[in-house]
Amino acid sequence: MKKLNIGLQLFTLRDETATDFRGTLRKVAALGYEGVEFAGYGDIPAEEMKALLDELGLKGFSSHVSLHAMREDLQKQIDYLKTIGAQYIICPYLMPEDRPENAEGWTKLFAELQQYGAEAAKQGLIFGYHNHDFEFHGQVGDANAFDAMFAQTSPEAVKVEMDVCWVQFAGQNPIEYIKQYAGRLPLLHLKDFSKDEQGQMKTLELGQGSVDLPAVIEGATNAGVEWLIVEQDVCQNPPLESVSNSYNWLKENYLNQF
């Protein structure tokens, strides 16, 4: 079995990076993570970020860049990512006001994403889209909006960054969805969750929830995933402790095979 790279989505440590971005990256590297996916850069210039990543032996392989930021200045975002040596630029979320209300709106959004992806590809980056649950509830013809997005954009321009928690929370089977998007799925958010009394998602450390993580990892390996990305939207323990515990779960249940 090919060993997948293990990264951390820094949104999990947003409070820590807000007070000490550089120190937080040092701690992430010390835990054993191979790379990070950014969710903001803490006002650190790109050259300085690249030097820090190199010093720590961390790959800054990807970044979540808001739709608003791409609309405002896509080139600025691309330039930063190229400077730090990133491969991926990911649209992470649609704010409620940006979510299409009908099939026509979704189709218009897909064309916009195709444009961003084509431009990123021209400049040597790979563009992708990261799902939540609402994409599975939107409808475009006979398909949900998630499937329609990847039917109406090209695999060369728009890749899948699948969040298995949100797929499962939306009532879909993440293992089947991983299979369905094999070859177009370089990045996968490895997460775990349960539901609270109100039926809302409660994100948990790996191995504590309802996601069949071993099956997800096996499916990801077969589907050509390059990076498993640990993320916990809300932590019950101090976030650095949570990402350490999740990494330890991966060591015991996956990395020890290599």
Side-chain angles (χ1 to χ4, degrees):
M1 191 196 298
K2 178 195 166 197
K3 180 190 163 295
L4 304 182
N5 300 307
I6 307 298
L8 177 69
Q9 168 47 256
L10 288 172
F11 178 74
T12 311
L13 302 179
R14 56 197 175 276
D15 294 339
E16 288 72 15
T17 55
T19 54
D20 182 6
F21 206 112
R22 294 167 184 81
T24 302
L25 280 182
R26 291 183 192 285
K27 288 171 183 169
V28 170
L31 288 174
Y33 285 94
E34 295 161 68
V36 290
E37 181 172 56
F38 289 96
Y41 311 110
D43 295 325
I44 297 173
E47 292 79 4
E48 197 180 317
M49 186 71 84
K50 174 74 166 73
L52 180 59
L53 291 167
D54 288 349
E55 178 200 328
L56 298 175
L58 271 180
K59 291 184 176 132
F61 62 93
S62 178
S63 183
H64 279 189
V65 177
S66 71
L67 188 61
H68 173 74
M70 286 190 269
R71 284 171 172 167
E72 196 174 63
D73 195 342
L74 180 64
Q75 191 58 51
K76 177 184 170 187
Q77 301 298 330
I78 289 173
D79 289 344
Y80 192 101
L81 290 170
K82 286 176 74 174
T83 301
I84 67 169
Q87 284 177 286
Y88 296 96
I89 176 169
I90 304 294
C91 179
Y93 185 65
L94 299 177
M95 298 297 285
E97 62 271 20
D98 293 324
R99 288 178 204 171
E101 293 174 2
N102 52 40
E104 187 186 355
W106 279 110
T107 298
K108 192 176 166 194
L109 175 70
F110 302 157
E112 183 181 359
L113 297 177
Q114 172 75 21
Q115 226 177 354
Y116 296 149
E119 185 55 41
K122 258 193 234 171
Q123 300 193 44
L125 290 177
I126 301 167
F127 177 81
Y129 182 88
H130 170 274
N131 66 281
H132 286 74
D133 61 336
F134 58 83
E135 298 90 349
F136 294 93
H137 304 310
Q139 202 67 19
V140 182
D142 294 334
N144 64 52
F146 181 91
D147 290 327
M149 177 183 297
F150 298 106
Q152 291 187 31
T153 57
S154 72
E156 296 76 27
V158 185
K159 304 291 187 195
V160 183
E161 180 178 69
M162 192 176 294
D163 186 309
V164 293
C165 268
W166 286 113
V167 173
Q168 187 165 315
F169 186 76
Q172 306 291 338
N173 183 331
I175 312 302
E176 290 305 314
Y177 259 89
I178 288 168
K179 272 188 207 158
Q180 188 176 328
Y181 287 96
R184 196 175 177 173
L185 174 59
L187 307 178
L188 186 134
H189 274 216
L190 192 69
K191 294 167 64 173
D192 214 345
F193 80 103
S194 63
K195 291 183 181 178
D196 64 18
E197 293 80 7
Q198 287 76 43
Q200 297 305 302
M201 181 188 286
K202 181 181 180 182
T203 52
L204 301 169
E205 294 165 11
L206 295 182
Q208 294 188 355
S210 62
V211 177
D212 186 348
L213 296 171
V216 164
I217 293 170
E218 185 182 351
T221 305
N222 295 335
V225 169
E226 293 170 18
W227 285 89
L228 295 175
I229 304 166
V230 173
E231 182 185 31
Q232 194 172 341
D233 302 13
V234 179
C235 300
Q236 285 74 50
N237 291 317
L240 273 161
E241 187 183 318
S242 285
V243 299
S244 176
N245 290 341
S246 286
Y247 189 80
N248 286 335
W249 184 92
L250 276 164
K251 277 202 288 197
E252 289 163 25
N253 295 277
Y254 174 59
L255 296 173
N256 65 3
Q257 301 169 43
F258 300 95

mmCIF file of all heavy atoms in Angstrom, residues 187-214:
data_model
loop_
_atom_site.group_PDB
_atom_site.id
_atom_site.type_symbol
_atom_site.label_atom_id
_atom_site.label_comp_id
_atom_site.label_asym_id
_atom_site.label_seq_id
_atom_site.Cartn_x
_atom_site.Cartn_y
_atom_site.Cartn_z
ATOM 1 N N LEU A 187 -6.875 15.537 -2.627
ATOM 2 C CA LEU A 187 -6.854 15.948 -1.216
ATOM 3 C C LEU A 187 -8.117 15.453 -0.520
ATOM 4 O O LEU A 187 -9.228 15.597 -1.053
ATOM 5 C CB LEU A 187 -6.799 17.476 -1.092
ATOM 6 C CG LEU A 187 -5.685 18.207 -1.851
ATOM 7 C CD1 LEU A 187 -5.810 19.715 -1.650
ATOM 8 C CD2 LEU A 187 -4.309 17.726 -1.422
ATOM 9 N N LEU A 188 -7.944 14.906 0.685
ATOM 10 C CA LEU A 188 -9.096 14.415 1.431
ATOM 11 C C LEU A 188 -9.004 14.857 2.887
ATOM 12 O O LEU A 188 -7.971 14.653 3.532
ATOM 13 C CB LEU A 188 -9.171 12.886 1.338
ATOM 14 C CG LEU A 188 -10.417 12.272 1.970
ATOM 15 C CD1 LEU A 188 -11.035 11.237 1.038
ATOM 16 C CD2 LEU A 188 -10.094 11.619 3.313
ATOM 17 N N HIS A 189 -10.056 15.490 3.394
ATOM 18 C CA HIS A 189 -10.101 15.891 4.800
ATOM 19 C C HIS A 189 -10.536 14.695 5.639
ATOM 20 O O HIS A 189 -11.654 14.210 5.511
ATOM 21 C CB HIS A 189 -11.061 17.067 4.990
ATOM 22 C CG HIS A 189 -10.406 18.384 4.749
ATOM 23 N ND1 HIS A 189 -10.711 19.516 5.459
ATOM 24 C CD2 HIS A 189 -9.428 18.746 3.888
ATOM 25 C CE1 HIS A 189 -9.960 20.526 5.034
ATOM 26 N NE2 HIS A 189 -9.178 20.069 4.070
ATOM 27 N N LEU A 190 -9.603 14.245 6.466
ATOM 28 C CA LEU A 190 -9.836 13.089 7.327
ATOM 29 C C LEU A 190 -10.318 13.615 8.680
ATOM 30 O O LEU A 190 -9.561 14.238 9.420
ATOM 31 C CB LEU A 190 -8.538 12.299 7.485
ATOM 32 C CG LEU A 190 -8.671 10.926 8.121
ATOM 33 C CD1 LEU A 190 -9.413 9.963 7.198
ATOM 34 C CD2 LEU A 190 -7.302 10.354 8.468
ATOM 35 N N LYS A 191 -11.567 13.367 8.959
ATOM 36 C CA LYS A 191 -12.199 13.932 10.152
ATOM 37 C C LYS A 191 -13.115 12.886 10.781
ATOM 38 O O LYS A 191 -13.441 11.884 10.156
ATOM 39 C CB LYS A 191 -13.044 15.165 9.774
ATOM 40 C CG LYS A 191 -12.230 16.329 9.265
ATOM 41 C CD LYS A 191 -13.096 17.389 8.605
ATOM 42 C CE LYS A 191 -14.064 18.068 9.521
ATOM 43 N NZ LYS A 191 -14.758 19.192 8.853
ATOM 44 N N ASP A 192 -13.531 13.170 11.993
ATOM 45 C CA ASP A 192 -14.469 12.283 12.679
ATOM 46 C C ASP A 192 -15.514 13.141 13.381
ATOM 47 O O ASP A 192 -15.257 14.304 13.716
ATOM 48 C CB ASP A 192 -13.720 11.399 13.689
ATOM 49 C CG ASP A 192 -14.339 10.009 13.806
ATOM 50 O OD1 ASP A 192 -15.483 9.817 13.333
ATOM 51 O OD2 ASP A 192 -13.685 9.127 14.394
ATOM 52 N N PHE A 193 -16.692 12.569 13.609
ATOM 53 C CA PHE A 193 -17.754 13.361 14.230
ATOM 54 C C PHE A 193 -18.822 12.474 14.837
ATOM 55 O O PHE A 193 -18.935 11.284 14.543
ATOM 56 C CB PHE A 193 -18.394 14.314 13.206
ATOM 57 C CG PHE A 193 -19.410 13.653 12.297
ATOM 58 C CD1 PHE A 193 -20.782 13.823 12.517
ATOM 59 C CD2 PHE A 193 -19.013 12.864 11.227
ATOM 60 C CE1 PHE A 193 -21.726 13.225 11.689
ATOM 61 C CE2 PHE A 193 -19.959 12.255 10.389
ATOM 62 C CZ PHE A 193 -21.314 12.438 10.620
ATOM 63 N N SER A 194 -19.602 13.089 15.717
ATOM 64 C CA SER A 194 -20.872 12.522 16.167
ATOM 65 C C SER A 194 -21.895 13.641 16.037
ATOM 66 O O SER A 194 -21.574 14.724 15.551
ATOM 67 C CB SER A 194 -20.760 12.038 17.618
ATOM 68 O OG SER A 194 -20.485 13.139 18.464
ATOM 69 N N LYS A 195 -23.122 13.369 16.481
ATOM 70 C CA LYS A 195 -24.154 14.421 16.450
ATOM 71 C C LYS A 195 -24.537 14.776 17.880
ATOM 72 O O LYS A 195 -24.603 13.897 18.742
ATOM 73 C CB LYS A 195 -25.391 13.940 15.681
ATOM 74 C CG LYS A 195 -25.143 13.775 14.195
ATOM 75 C CD LYS A 195 -26.430 13.365 13.471
ATOM 76 C CE LYS A 195 -26.162 13.171 11.989
ATOM 77 N NZ LYS A 195 -27.367 12.741 11.259
ATOM 78 N N ASP A 196 -24.802 16.061 18.102
ATOM 79 C CA ASP A 196 -25.243 16.486 19.435
ATOM 80 C C ASP A 196 -26.754 16.291 19.574
ATOM 81 O O ASP A 196 -27.416 15.762 18.673
ATOM 82 C CB ASP A 196 -24.818 17.937 19.716
ATOM 83 C CG ASP A 196 -25.486 18.953 18.777
ATOM 84 O OD1 ASP A 196 -26.521 18.621 18.144
ATOM 85 O OD2 ASP A 196 -24.987 20.094 18.693
ATOM 86 N N GLU A 197 -27.303 16.729 20.709
ATOM 87 C CA GLU A 197 -28.741 16.519 20.987
ATOM 88 C C GLU A 197 -29.630 17.186 19.945
ATOM 89 O O GLU A 197 -30.751 16.758 19.692
ATOM 90 C CB GLU A 197 -29.111 17.066 22.385
ATOM 91 C CG GLU A 197 -28.491 16.319 23.549
ATOM 92 C CD GLU A 197 -27.042 16.701 23.815
ATOM 93 O OE1 GLU A 197 -26.541 17.666 23.161
ATOM 94 O OE2 GLU A 197 -26.408 16.044 24.648
ATOM 95 N N GLN A 198 -29.110 18.265 19.338
ATOM 96 C CA GLN A 198 -29.898 18.976 18.318
ATOM 97 C C GLN A 198 -29.689 18.405 16.917
ATOM 98 O O GLN A 198 -30.240 18.905 15.940
ATOM 99 C CB GLN A 198 -29.525 20.472 18.299
ATOM 100 C CG GLN A 198 -30.052 21.278 19.483
ATOM 101 C CD GLN A 198 -29.245 21.024 20.750
ATOM 102 O OE1 GLN A 198 -28.022 20.976 20.714
ATOM 103 N NE2 GLN A 198 -29.934 20.852 21.874
ATOM 104 N N GLY A 199 -28.876 17.351 16.836
ATOM 105 C CA GLY A 199 -28.606 16.749 15.520
ATOM 106 C C GLY A 199 -27.545 17.478 14.727
ATOM 107 O O GLY A 199 -27.372 17.228 13.532
ATOM 108 N N GLN A 200 -26.817 18.398 15.386
ATOM 109 C CA GLN A 200 -25.749 19.131 14.707
ATOM 110 C C GLN A 200 -24.441 18.350 14.787
ATOM 111 O O GLN A 200 -24.241 17.531 15.672
ATOM 112 C CB GLN A 200 -25.579 20.516 15.333
ATOM 113 C CG GLN A 200 -26.795 21.419 15.186
ATOM 114 C CD GLN A 200 -27.224 21.587 13.742
ATOM 115 O OE1 GLN A 200 -26.456 22.030 12.900
ATOM 116 N NE2 GLN A 200 -28.469 21.214 13.453
ATOM 117 N N MET A 201 -23.549 18.647 13.857
ATOM 118 C CA MET A 201 -22.261 17.965 13.850
ATOM 119 C C MET A 201 -21.413 18.388 15.046
ATOM 120 O O MET A 201 -21.315 19.577 15.362
ATOM 121 C CB MET A 201 -21.502 18.273 12.556
ATOM 122 C CG MET A 201 -20.153 17.555 12.477
ATOM 123 S SD MET A 201 -19.135 18.063 11.075
ATOM 124 C CE MET A 201 -19.979 17.255 9.727
ATOM 125 N N LYS A 202 -20.808 17.401 15.690
ATOM 126 C CA LYS A 202 -19.825 17.646 16.752
ATOM 127 C C LYS A 202 -18.528 16.997 16.283
ATOM 128 O O LYS A 202 -18.409 15.770 16.249
ATOM 129 C CB LYS A 202 -20.307 17.019 18.057
ATOM 130 C CG LYS A 202 -19.363 17.234 19.231
ATOM 131 C CD LYS A 202 -19.916 16.560 20.483
ATOM 132 C CE LYS A 202 -18.967 16.767 21.658
ATOM 133 N NZ LYS A 202 -19.467 16.068 22.866
ATOM 134 N N THR A 203 -17.551 17.822 15.861
ATOM 135 C CA THR A 203 -16.314 17.252 15.337
ATOM 136 C C THR A 203 -15.450 16.735 16.484
ATOM 137 O O THR A 203 -15.369 17.347 17.551
ATOM 138 C CB THR A 203 -15.530 18.284 14.503
ATOM 139 O OG1 THR A 203 -15.361 19.482 15.256
ATOM 140 C CG2 THR A 203 -16.247 18.595 13.203
ATOM 141 N N LEU A 204 -14.833 15.578 16.242
ATOM 142 C CA LEU A 204 -14.095 14.863 17.279
ATOM 143 C C LEU A 204 -12.684 14.530 16.798
ATOM 144 O O LEU A 204 -12.392 14.587 15.598
ATOM 145 C CB LEU A 204 -14.821 13.555 17.623
ATOM 146 C CG LEU A 204 -16.262 13.683 18.116
ATOM 147 C CD1 LEU A 204 -16.930 12.319 18.152
ATOM 148 C CD2 LEU A 204 -16.300 14.331 19.506
ATOM 149 N N GLU A 205 -11.845 14.156 17.761
ATOM 150 C CA GLU A 205 -10.532 13.642 17.402
ATOM 151 C C GLU A 205 -10.712 12.327 16.632
ATOM 152 O O GLU A 205 -11.725 11.633 16.799
ATOM 153 C CB GLU A 205 -9.693 13.429 18.667
ATOM 154 C CG GLU A 205 -9.359 14.741 19.366
ATOM 155 C CD GLU A 205 -8.860 14.568 20.794
ATOM 156 O OE1 GLU A 205 -8.563 13.418 21.203
ATOM 157 O OE2 GLU A 205 -8.763 15.581 21.511
ATOM 158 N N LEU A 206 -9.739 11.984 15.794
ATOM 159 C CA LEU A 206 -9.837 10.770 14.984
ATOM 160 C C LEU A 206 -10.028 9.548 15.867
ATOM 161 O O LEU A 206 -9.381 9.407 16.902
ATOM 162 C CB LEU A 206 -8.585 10.604 14.125
ATOM 163 C CG LEU A 206 -8.350 11.674 13.049
ATOM 164 C CD1 LEU A 206 -7.092 11.341 12.240
ATOM 165 C CD2 LEU A 206 -9.549 11.838 12.128
ATOM 166 N N GLY A 207 -10.948 8.677 15.445
ATOM 167 C CA GLY A 207 -11.202 7.439 16.163
ATOM 168 C C GLY A 207 -12.260 7.535 17.231
ATOM 169 O O GLY A 207 -12.589 6.537 17.876
ATOM 170 N N GLN A 208 -12.837 8.723 17.422
ATOM 171 C CA GLN A 208 -13.821 8.897 18.500
ATOM 172 C C GLN A 208 -15.258 9.003 17.994
ATOM 173 O O GLN A 208 -16.181 9.084 18.797
ATOM 174 C CB GLN A 208 -13.490 10.157 19.322
ATOM 175 C CG GLN A 208 -12.184 10.052 20.089
ATOM 176 C CD GLN A 208 -11.981 11.228 21.034
ATOM 177 O OE1 GLN A 208 -12.764 12.172 21.065
ATOM 178 N NE2 GLN A 208 -10.920 11.165 21.820
ATOM 179 N N GLY A 209 -15.441 9.010 16.680
ATOM 180 C CA GLY A 209 -16.782 9.254 16.140
ATOM 181 C C GLY A 209 -17.295 8.121 15.272
ATOM 182 O O GLY A 209 -16.896 6.971 15.427
ATOM 183 N N SER A 210 -18.161 8.475 14.322
ATOM 184 C CA SER A 210 -18.905 7.470 13.560
ATOM 185 C C SER A 210 -18.355 7.214 12.162
ATOM 186 O O SER A 210 -18.905 6.398 11.420
ATOM 187 C CB SER A 210 -20.373 7.911 13.452
ATOM 188 O OG SER A 210 -20.453 9.149 12.750
ATOM 189 N N VAL A 211 -17.293 7.909 11.779
ATOM 190 C CA VAL A 211 -16.736 7.705 10.437
ATOM 191 C C VAL A 211 -15.867 6.446 10.436
ATOM 192 O O VAL A 211 -15.063 6.242 11.357
ATOM 193 C CB VAL A 211 -15.906 8.934 9.992
ATOM 194 C CG1 VAL A 211 -15.273 8.689 8.620
ATOM 195 C CG2 VAL A 211 -16.784 10.185 9.942
ATOM 196 N N ASP A 212 -16.026 5.613 9.407
ATOM 197 C CA ASP A 212 -15.213 4.399 9.272
ATOM 198 C C ASP A 212 -13.857 4.804 8.681
ATOM 199 O O ASP A 212 -13.608 4.688 7.474
ATOM 200 C CB ASP A 212 -15.932 3.393 8.367
ATOM 201 C CG ASP A 212 -15.208 2.043 8.300
ATOM 202 O OD1 ASP A 212 -14.048 1.958 8.768
ATOM 203 O OD2 ASP A 212 -15.802 1.091 7.772
ATOM 204 N N LEU A 213 -12.977 5.286 9.551
ATOM 205 C CA LEU A 213 -11.717 5.874 9.092
ATOM 206 C C LEU A 213 -10.806 4.880 8.366
ATOM 207 O O LEU A 213 -10.225 5.228 7.333
ATOM 208 C CB LEU A 213 -10.983 6.517 10.270
ATOM 209 C CG LEU A 213 -11.718 7.711 10.907
ATOM 210 C CD1 LEU A 213 -11.021 8.132 12.194
ATOM 211 C CD2 LEU A 213 -11.808 8.889 9.947
ATOM 212 N N PRO A 214 -10.650 3.632 8.847
ATOM 213 C CA PRO A 214 -9.814 2.691 8.092
ATOM 214 C C PRO A 214 -10.320 2.475 6.662
ATOM 215 O O PRO A 214 -9.524 2.407 5.718
ATOM 216 C CB PRO A 214 -9.881 1.409 8.923
ATOM 217 C CG PRO A 214 -10.138 1.890 10.320
ATOM 218 C CD PRO A 214 -11.064 3.063 10.155
#
